[in-house]
Amino acid sequence: MDQGIAAVLAAGVAAIVTLGGAVIAYQAGRRQVRDQGAIEHAHWLRGQREQAYLSFLSSCERAAAAGRSRRNLVEELEAASSEGAAPPEEMQASARRAAYQFSEAVDQILEPLNRIKMLGPEVVIDEAEHTLEMVRQFEDSMSPPGRGDPYNGEGNLRVQRAEFAAVARQVLMHPQEHITVTVSPDAV
């Protein structure tokens, strides 16, 4: 009878150990799948953010180029007007087209900005919104001509774009860290 009890106890212990091992293996498998899913999502999110940040910077650069073109035409118009004669209609039409193109380029920034707002993080959203504000200040500095200093507006935009790029780069390189970045004027 002692051998029978010992055999039953041994079988019970073996069953418990086997069941425990199965539960541990099941939990480890689930954790591995969950961790792999989190890694894949983080990789996907990084790729989406990178595309959105690059698109935003490209849109800002197109707006800045359109602003410089408009500024140059406005300066030509002012120079022609200061000579006493009315500027040629063709020059005025070019200035109006440049103003329209600049306004369109500024509007084109909104789509990548909206993607950034969806993908985050908050520190990049704040920098992107501030960059758009600098683009609009650059635009406002030329409407109407003589209202502001477009060179100062462009300089502020250049600095802000560099700050946005620095923050975006930090987020892409270290996505889990809280980011505080300052850009020296020499880096611009």
Side-chain angles (χ1 to χ4, degrees), residues 43-58:
H43 182 71
W44 173 85
L45 183 60
R46 184 187 184 284
Q48 293 294 312
R49 284 177 171 171
E50 182 177 17
Q51 288 176 357
Y53 300 167
L54 288 172
S55 178
F56 180 78
L57 283 170
S58 295

Side-chain angles (χ1 to χ4, degrees), residues 2-63:
D2 287 335
Q3 289 179 349
I5 293 175
V8 169
L9 285 176
V13 168
I16 291 172
V17 168
T18 302
L19 186 59
V23 168
I24 290 171
Y26 173 75
Q27 288 177 340
R30 283 184 51 111
R31 181 180 183 111
Q32 182 180 5
V33 168
R34 186 176 56 242
D35 290 348
Q36 184 62 33
I39 289 168
E40 288 177 12
H41 177 73
H43 182 71
W44 173 85
L45 183 60
R46 184 187 184 284
Q48 293 294 312
R49 284 177 171 171
E50 182 177 17
Q51 288 176 357
Y53 300 167
L54 288 172
S55 178
F56 180 78
L57 283 170
S58 295
S59 296
C60 288
E61 182 51 41
R62 283 191 296 279

Side-chain angles (χ1 to χ4, degrees), residues 87-111:
E89 180 56 37
E90 181 181 308
M91 187 182 279
Q92 291 178 1
S94 292
R96 285 190 296 273
R97 271 193 309 277
Y100 176 77
Q101 289 169 344
F102 187 27
S103 179
E104 286 292 305
V106 171
D107 289 345
Q108 294 300 312
I109 295 172
L110 297 178
E111 181 182 340

Side-chain angles (χ1 to χ4, degrees), residues 114-158:
N114 287 335
R115 289 194 69 215
I116 290 171
K117 287 180 178 180
M118 292 297 294
L119 298 168
E122 197 65 37
V123 66
V124 177
I125 294 169
D126 292 343
E127 288 300 322
E129 288 176 337
H130 192 63
T131 303
L132 177 60
E133 179 64 29
M134 291 295 107
V135 170
R136 293 203 174 176
Q137 285 181 14
F138 182 33
E139 181 182 32
D140 290 346
S141 70
M142 291 180 269
S143 300
R147 180 174 169 202
D149 180 2
Y151 289 98
N152 189 38
E154 183 182 6
N156 290 341
L157 174 56
R158 187 178 303 117

